[in-house]
Amino acid sequence: MKKTLFSLAIAASALLSLAACSTKSETSDVNNFHIQRGTNLSHWLSQSEERGEARRQHIQEDDFNRLESLGFDFVRIPIDEVQFWDENGKKLPEAWELLTNAINMAEKHHLRTIVDLHIIRSHYFNAVLEGKGDQNTLFSSEKAQQDLIEMWYQLSDVLKGYSNDSVAYEFMNEPVADDHEQWNDLIIKVHKALREREPQRTLVIGSNMWQSYETIKYLKVPENDKNIILSFHYYNPMILTHYGAWWTPIGKYTGKVNYPGVLVSKEDYEAAPDSVKQLLDENHYTTQVWDINKIREDFKDAIAAAKKYNLQLFCGEWGVYEPVDRELAYKWTKDMLTVFKENNIAWTTWCYDADFGFWDQKKNDFKDKGLVDLLTEK
């Protein structure tokens, strides 16, 4: 009888072990939110004046089907406060419906989703560049910080039903705090607030000053939380990736750009206006060699931070402005993809269908098939 009871106990223990192994990752320490290759669905629920039917039609199920068939495994969806809440903090229902529909379609097509709170009324990453720096009150106002937390409470109320393996939250895009500790302090506040609501949701946390690779070494990550992804953005060299971009100072340069190698020749430098020469000097564009080894060097601090915290590393934005010479764009893209692969860095291109993208929604066709073939390794 004792032998029988002992055998039954062993069998029961084995069944419990099997059950534990098959339980969804929400009950384990680390989520199964693994990502590799994605794109930003930008200028839709963020940085766009589209409303009504135009906004409803902008992203449809065939977009998610296309991304799945191309081999992408996730999307980053930037959202803006002005599209989701009015000035009194009241929800604007249609945007919320569009977001949840998008997540549902992403899940249907085996794509994970990062919901990125991109621009809020108290913080816009380009405010200083546009002479609106006084509008960035987030890091000096307790109320603005509590408003940010309240926005995430409301987002969590709507999104918490989605699997931790399917949906992640990026609680703010490209912070521009005057002091790195201001951003670190806010991280602690928002992290604590979200963890009280959702103990295991994957959170994406980026570095200060436009999510720069240069500042990630100053980032302080909440301890003992393995459901965090570290994020940085990379558009260097800007003179190449943003060539002709009207909203950037370096976009005023109209001479030739070389890549790989020294980006601007002495002849092109001499032909540039004095104001542009200053930018070229400040960024060492006439002396620094830019190539794959420069990219590797730039990524070192980000890679070291991910190893330090034993967390996944993610480049949330990178890409080349549409008017840039395609040969240069492809050379840079190839080098970026190589470095990503060498270091197991997940990425989302900026972007899917806007001015850095590869898809043309109006023509319903690829506007840059060469780029998408590179990205998908065709």
Side-chain angles (χ1 to χ4, degrees), residues 239-258:
I239 195 172
L240 187 160
T241 65
H242 284 65
Y243 185 85
W246 56 267
W247 64 93
T248 65
I250 200 62
K252 296 176 183 177
Y253 175 72
T254 59
K256 184 180 179 181
V257 176
N258 307 296

Side-chain angles (χ1 to χ4, degrees), residues 93-112:
E94 185 176 88
W96 292 82
E97 182 180 350
L98 290 173
L99 176 61
T100 53
N101 285 346
I103 296 172
N104 291 337
M105 289 186 289
E107 284 191 332
K108 179 179 178 181
H109 292 280
H110 309 101
L111 300 167
R112 292 183 167 89

Side-chain angles (χ1 to χ4, degrees), residues 124-272:
Y124 170 43
F125 49 88
N126 273 345
V128 174
L129 294 177
E130 296 181 7
K132 302 174 183 177
D134 58 340
Q135 297 179 18
N136 272 2
T137 60
L138 180 64
F139 296 105
S140 59
S141 168
E142 288 289 334
K143 180 184 181 303
Q145 294 183 14
Q146 189 55 46
D147 287 345
L148 172 63
I149 290 171
E150 180 59 33
M151 280 185 264
W152 273 111
Y153 282 160
Q154 293 185 44
L155 283 163
S156 173
D157 287 343
V158 171
L159 303 178
K160 63 186 178 184
Y162 290 101
S163 166
N164 290 326
D165 295 344
S166 178
V167 176
Y169 303 160
E170 183 171 352
F171 55 72
M172 204 175 78
N173 173 71
E174 294 195 355
V176 285
D178 291 336
D179 188 295
H180 301 311
E181 289 307 311
Q182 291 176 305
W183 175 231
N184 288 330
D185 290 344
L186 185 55
I187 287 171
I188 292 170
K189 290 181 182 180
V190 182
H191 176 268
K192 181 176 184 293
L194 280 172
R195 281 293 174 250
E196 289 172 353
R197 298 279 184 112
E198 298 193 54
Q200 205 168 331
R201 178 71 57 187
T202 295
L203 304 177
V204 178
I205 299 176
S207 47
N208 190 31
M209 301 308 289
W210 300 283
Q211 238 142 310
S212 171
Y213 68 94
E214 294 176 301
T215 60
I216 201 165
K217 60 189 174 187
Y218 304 114
L219 186 65
K220 293 180 181 177
V221 179
E223 296 181 0
N224 303 317
D225 188 341
K226 295 306 178 187
N227 290 312
I228 288 175
I229 293 175
L230 295 187
S231 173
F232 71 105
H233 295 173
Y234 193 85
Y235 289 103
N236 283 358
M238 289 282 286
I239 195 172
L240 187 160
T241 65
H242 284 65
Y243 185 85
W246 56 267
W247 64 93
T248 65
I250 200 62
K252 296 176 183 177
Y253 175 72
T254 59
K256 184 180 179 181
V257 176
N258 307 296
Y259 183 90
V262 175
L263 297 164
V264 178
S265 69
K266 290 181 180 179
E267 292 76 15
D268 286 307
Y269 172 82
E270 292 299 334

